[in-house]
Amino acid sequence: MVGNWKFCLLGMVLLTTMELNAQQVSVAATPPMGWNSWNHFAEKVTEADVRSAADALVASGMRDAGYVYVNIDDTWEGKRDAQGVIVLDSNAELRIPSHAVMLA
């Protein structure tokens, strides 16, 4: 009978530890929300379109509601190199010249 209380105590300690660990594991406080250029513009998106969408997210209050991402999907990918790695399309910088600056 004495062994049973030790087993129960061990079980309670393990459950408490598991519960504390579960509470410490976190995911995003909100889902990643934002605007994606592909949905409307596809490969015809311009830098002005992207800047306008970002300004609209701020002006409308959407940024404060958690919409903080502006995803530029402009078919940046070109052909694959000899190793099979996708390389930047040489025209991508012509469509959105500030790519590198906007990512910084």
Side-chain angles (χ1 to χ4, degrees):
M1 195 59 122
V2 174
N4 285 343
W5 73 268
K6 290 180 182 177
F7 181 73
C8 288
L9 181 61
L10 177 62
M12 289 190 313
V13 169
L14 287 175
L15 287 174
T16 303
T17 303
M18 288 170 47
E19 184 178 321
L20 288 174
N21 286 338
Q23 290 174 359
Q24 292 172 357
V25 175
S26 64
V27 294
T30 60
M33 300 183 295
W35 174 84
N36 188 311
S37 65
W38 186 262
N39 298 326
H40 182 75
F41 297 103
E43 74 279 356
K44 295 176 179 73
V45 67
T46 66
E47 184 165 336
D49 296 329
V50 174
R51 290 184 182 276
S52 176
D55 291 342
L57 284 176
V58 173
S60 68
M62 298 292 283
R63 179 192 58 183
D64 296 332
Y67 288 80
V68 296
Y69 296 100
V70 175
N71 301 309
I72 305 167
D73 190 350
D74 68 339
T75 61
W76 61 268
E77 71 280 357
K79 305 226 184 266
R80 294 183 181 266
D81 65 15
Q83 289 75 38
V85 176
I86 298 173
V87 296
L88 179 67
D89 178 7
S90 58
N91 293 320
E93 289 186 34
L94 299 175
R95 288 189 297 272
I96 302 183
S98 298
H99 260 125
V101 174
M102 293 166 92
L103 293 173

